[in-house]
Amino acid sequence: MSATLILAATGFLVGFSWGFKSPANYCHLGREGAKAFGNRFGSGLINGVIVGAIVGIVSYIILGPA
């Protein structure tokens, strides 16, 4: 179980840094708004949760609940 959590946390960190580095501009804020901290943080959070969940589910299936 700890290996699954470590992999999911690593997936979250990778997704968060990817979304923070290149924000997705979900709300069509314009050029300056897309680079604002709030949009970067939100995009990183969304990407981190999605990537972390995918990695967590796959690693849980492969490694099992042990």
Side-chain angles (χ1 to χ4, degrees):
M1 185 59 137
S2 64
T4 302
L5 290 175
I6 291 171
L7 289 172
T10 304
F12 174 80
L13 290 175
V14 168
F16 184 83
S17 63
W18 172 38
F20 193 83
K21 183 179 177 184
S22 58
N25 196 11
Y26 295 112
C27 299
H28 306 289
L29 300 171
R31 175 177 261 167
E32 294 301 318
K35 296 185 186 280
F37 177 76
N39 189 47
R40 286 181 178 273
F41 184 78
S43 181
L45 193 62
I46 291 169
N47 287 353
V49 167
I50 291 172
V51 172
I54 291 171
V55 170
I57 291 169
V58 170
S59 64
Y60 184 79
I61 290 170
I62 292 173
L63 299 175

